[in-house]
Amino acid sequence: MSRYLITSALPYINGIKHLGNLAGSMLPADVHARFRRLQGHEVLYICATDEHGTPAELAAAEASQDVAAYCAQQYQIQKDACDGFRLSFDHFGRSSNPPNHKLTQHFCETLEKHGLIEERVSKQIYSIDDKRFLPDRYVEGTCPVCGFERARGDQCDNCGSLLDPINLINPRSKISGSTNVEPRDTAHLFLLQPKMQDKIRAWVDKATEWPQLARSIAYKWLDEGLIDRSITRDLSWGIKVTQNGEPRRGFENKVFYVWFDAPVEYIGSTVEWAEANGGKDWERWWRTDKGASDVTYIQFMGKDNVAFHTVSFPVTIMGSQEPWKLVDRLKAFNWVTWYGGKFSTSEKRGIFMDQALELLPSDYWRWYLMANAPESSDAAFTLEQFQQTINADLANVFGNFINRITTFTRSKFDSKVPDGGEPGEHEEKLFATFAERLAALTQSHEQMEMRKAAAELRSIWAAGNEFLQVAAPWTSIKTDQAKAAATTRTALNACVLFAILAQPFIPDAAKIVLDALSVPEANRNWPKVDDRGVWDALPRGHAITPPDVLFKKIEDAQVAEWAARFGGGG
């Protein structure tokens, strides 16, 4: 048994996430966590809401709520949506909880002792009408690179350039819209990242198991040269800046920058998990001097988060000179687009997590998003392809196989696994195909290749349908009862295997099948490639109950209705 620490990029607190957010981090992390558990490994799957920063303050103000109350409400909404999608977090925490405050302050003070933090006075936009300094995202203006008129102070959404608010043309306050703003001196703490450049590059050089997308982004930042990065902001909501355990003088109205504290919440959420579970030992997952050296740490995220996870957060961890666990494998995803464009709440483009669950059970969405995961390039979500994939894979292939053989067993064998007969050529061919495909499926999961894993699983289901077609127990039963019994018994055991293998992707449907076949929980683990016994696992005479239709086909009328509501391709 191995140990796997799995983290998903933290969903930001301001509003429910769309299907693209889900597909780029939380869902593939869940698929992998479920797979590793089925293999019998010890898994800790951690996530949390990312609750600090300017957008949280702005969203709370827009909702006329206190920011703490707003975040508490949004946390529950997001947690409910995650539960609805059956995301199997061991803990889903909050970056605003005390453990993250304590850890973030600890890291800053430790980094300062090692000469990696420096206090500097710099120019920042001050709004005279609002009577306050404006953090990056409280400033809007024209991008100096491309001329886009609604660029944010930290980044232009049009050209992607990272910006400094001071360089914006015609800057204005996002709070009041006032253009009565000016640069003024203010003190901030800077993380001296260039001092760690060589260590970070040497570490990335060794990260040969990262996908090319992750490594290329890391090298891009390293090749351009790391810069000193401000890690404090003029905000009231966030983690207070300390020095020697006390509020830092001159920083009473400042907090840590959200991108400094958010990754620390991976550790903070693990502390929360430990506290919520009777004081479990969280350090054995995170401290290499406390047992974490045998942990494989895997991070899942979208490509926009890669630089922070491959450069900035490692600067914090490694710069502390403390024995913290560093990521071993990093799985980065491209975007899921909505018909090639962005998901947008304001423009009513795209389906968001809560809306998806109102339309169909979570398994439909889980399967489609992972079968079309944006691994090698961006992937466009279209309702037409969604309909085609669900109807073909889940209704016609998986659901049809389960339905045909279980209803046949009820009709011809009194809902019991039949005795008699021995495997023939058709059964032997299925056994061989299954062993070959199982090896490929297992390898795809181990390499975290979601599309390949889904394709291999579908091919296993398809092999079951092909077996039924050629073995045709409904025909052989008329002349050879023993042969029909052997075919039926093999197909029922295939139902068990197909459902066991489906658990990482479609856990609810898999459970329905395994419950209908009365498979004990202890027998639902990942099969071994060379275990021929799996084909005779169900006891002869064992009672089964044919499940109801697992997946209803998506009709054209539904697609038309959803396209009108969510902005389809037409």
Side-chain angles (χ1 to χ4, degrees):
M1 183 176 74
S2 299
R3 299 170 62 214
Y4 289 91
L5 172 62
I6 298 172
T7 60
S8 161
L10 311 186
Y12 197 70
I13 195 67
N14 64 339
I16 201 79
K17 301 300 112 180
H18 58 66
L19 294 179
N21 298 135
L22 177 68
S25 55
M26 294 182 288
L27 182 52
D30 179 70
V31 169
H32 194 67
R34 288 177 179 273
F35 164 70
R36 291 299 187 184
R37 291 188 193 111
L38 290 171
Q39 284 189 310
H41 300 303
E42 186 181 2
V43 171
L44 188 66
Y45 177 23
I46 294 293
C47 193
T49 42
D50 177 5
E51 301 191 6
H52 298 136
T54 308
E57 283 199 356
L58 291 175
E62 197 172 313
S64 300
Q65 280 183 283
D66 169 77
V67 65
Y70 171 82
C71 288
Q73 180 187 63
Q74 292 298 316
Y75 168 79
Q76 195 57 53
I77 290 170
Q78 294 208 28
K79 186 177 185 304
D80 290 346
C82 291
D83 290 345
F85 271 94
R86 305 297 186 257
L87 301 180
S88 60
F89 305 124
D90 288 287
H91 190 74
F92 186 63
R94 301 180 62 187
S95 71
S96 62
N97 279 341
N100 194 40
H101 285 243
K102 187 177 178 181
L103 283 159
T104 299
Q105 291 164 347
H106 164 80
F107 275 116
C108 181
E109 293 193 24
T110 304
L111 289 165
E112 188 164 23
K113 286 172 187 169
H114 293 306
L116 292 172
I117 297 288
E118 186 174 284
E119 184 175 327
R120 293 180 187 169
V121 173
S122 59
K123 296 287 186 186
Q124 188 172 335
I125 299 293
Y126 184 87
S127 172
I128 296 166
D129 292 342
D130 298 321
K131 296 182 176 64
R132 62 176 292 175
F133 282 102
L134 298 178
D136 297 356
R137 289 201 175 190
Y138 276 41
V139 187
E140 282 187 340
T142 300
C143 175
V145 179
C146 71
F148 180 61
E149 293 183 353
R150 296 196 314 278
R152 298 197 313 260
D154 61 343
Q155 187 171 10
C156 176
D157 284 337
N158 186 56
C159 69
S161 297
L162 296 177
L163 302 173
D164 186 314
I166 296 293
N167 297 326
L168 285 179
I169 301 166
N170 300 323
R172 61 189 174 273
S173 165
K174 191 165 180 182
I175 300 172
S176 61
S178 172
T179 57
N180 191 16
V181 299
E182 64 183 20
R184 288 190 183 179
D185 288 342
T186 182
H188 282 294
L189 298 184
F190 281 74
L191 178 61
L192 308 183
Q193 295 187 132
K195 288 189 173 185
M196 293 292 293
Q197 169 120 4
D198 292 344
K199 285 186 178 179
I200 297 295
R201 182 178 288 276
W203 176 64
V204 173
D205 287 344
K206 294 177 184 174
T208 53
E209 290 198 42
W210 293 4
Q212 182 56 33
L213 176 65
R215 297 189 86 201
S216 64
I217 292 172
Y219 279 127
K220 179 178 182 291
W221 276 52
L222 289 165
D223 290 345
E224 290 174 358
L226 300 187
I227 60 171
D228 298 336
R229 193 168 187 90
S230 170
I231 61 165
T232 52
R233 293 292 186 271
D234 290 283
L235 293 169
S236 57
W237 172 248
I239 297 175
K240 296 298 182 185
V241 183
T242 59
Q243 190 170 37
N244 301 319
E246 300 295 329
R248 189 182 187 104
R249 184 176 296 177
F251 282 71
E252 293 83 359
N253 296 318
K254 302 176 194 286
V255 298
F256 284 107
Y257 176 42
V258 63
W259 258 114
F260 184 71
D261 86 73
V264 178
E265 171 60 10
Y266 293 139
I267 308 173
S269 188
T270 311
V271 177
E272 292 179 46
W273 161 80
E275 291 173 348
N277 288 277
K280 286 194 173 183
D281 184 4
W282 66 268
E283 289 183 311
R284 66 188 286 266
W285 292 97
W286 280 105
R287 299 273 303 203
T288 56
D289 59 337
K290 301 287 180 69
S293 54
D294 67 346
V295 170
T296 298
Y297 177 22
I298 307 170
Q299 293 175 344
F300 287 80
M301 70 198 66
K303 60 185 176 184
D304 58 326
N305 286 340
V306 170
F308 292 103
H309 286 78
T310 58
V311 177
S312 299
F313 186 41
V315 166
T316 299
I317 293 289
M318 296 165 71
S320 74
Q321 297 182 28
E322 294 174 336
W324 295 100
K325 177 66 187 173
L326 286 159
V327 65
D328 296 296
R329 303 176 68 187
L330 190 150
K331 176 71 174 181
F333 289 84
N334 289 283
W335 304 131
V336 172
T337 65
W338 181 260
Y339 288 86
K342 287 185 177 182
F343 286 77
S344 170
T345 307
S346 59
E347 296 175 20
K348 295 185 178 177
R349 282 182 52 81
I351 298 176
F352 288 70
M353 286 173 67
D354 55 343
Q355 298 167 329
L357 294 173
E358 292 170 9
L359 302 179
L360 292 167
S362 61
D363 280 351
Y364 289 70
W365 307 103
R366 288 177 63 105
W367 176 258
Y368 176 82
L369 291 171
M370 292 296 90
N372 297 278
E375 290 172 316
S376 58
S377 62
D378 291 349
F381 185 107
T382 72
L383 290 164
E384 295 75 16
Q385 188 186 13
F386 176 63
Q387 176 192 29
Q388 181 183 1
T389 300
I390 296 303
N391 291 353
D393 296 357
L394 299 185
N396 290 346
V397 182
F398 180 63
N400 181 54
F401 178 81
I402 303 294
N403 179 260
R404 287 173 80 188
I405 196 59
T406 55
T407 53
F408 178 75
T409 303
R410 178 174 60 193
S411 169
K412 302 300 181 184
F413 292 103
D414 192 28
S415 295
K416 291 184 176 62
V417 178
D419 195 5
E422 294 297 326
E425 63 173 314
H426 297 312
E427 285 77 15
E428 292 296 339
K429 182 182 177 185
L430 178 63
F431 300 162
T433 300
F434 177 80
E436 180 183 332
R437 291 294 189 187
L438 174 59
L441 172 61
T442 302
Q443 183 181 40
S444 295
H445 270 302
E446 287 176 341
Q447 294 175 346
M448 299 175 287
E449 294 179 321
M450 300 294 154
R451 276 189 184 232
K452 282 187 181 179
E456 291 295 349
L457 181 56
R458 187 192 184 283
S459 72
I460 288 172
W461 295 340
N465 278 289
E466 291 164 15
F467 163 72
L468 271 188
Q469 283 298 106
V470 296
W474 35 84
T475 301
S476 61
I477 197 168
K478 298 171 185 174
T479 56
D480 191 339
Q481 179 89 9
K483 183 179 179 182
T487 298
T488 302
R489 189 169 60 250
T490 296
L492 288 171
N493 279 294
C495 287
V496 174
L497 290 167
F498 293 0
I500 285 173
L501 299 182
Q503 289 175 106
F505 287 118
I506 48 173
D508 285 353
K511 185 178 188 306
I512 289 169
V513 173
L514 294 169
D515 287 351
L517 298 172
S518 300
V519 177
E521 290 284 346
N523 294 356
R524 299 182 181 189
N525 295 324
W526 200 260
K528 291 182 171 55
V529 173
D530 56 357
D531 183 6
R532 177 70 175 258
V534 297
W535 289 104
D536 209 12
L538 289 173
R540 296 161 198 227
H542 178 78
I544 64 129
T545 306
D548 293 333
V549 173
L550 291 171
F551 293 98
K552 292 179 181 177
K553 287 191 175 182
I554 297 172
E555 303 295 337
D556 291 345
Q558 290 173 285
V559 172
E561 177 193 335
W562 298 340
R565 179 178 170 189
F566 301 109

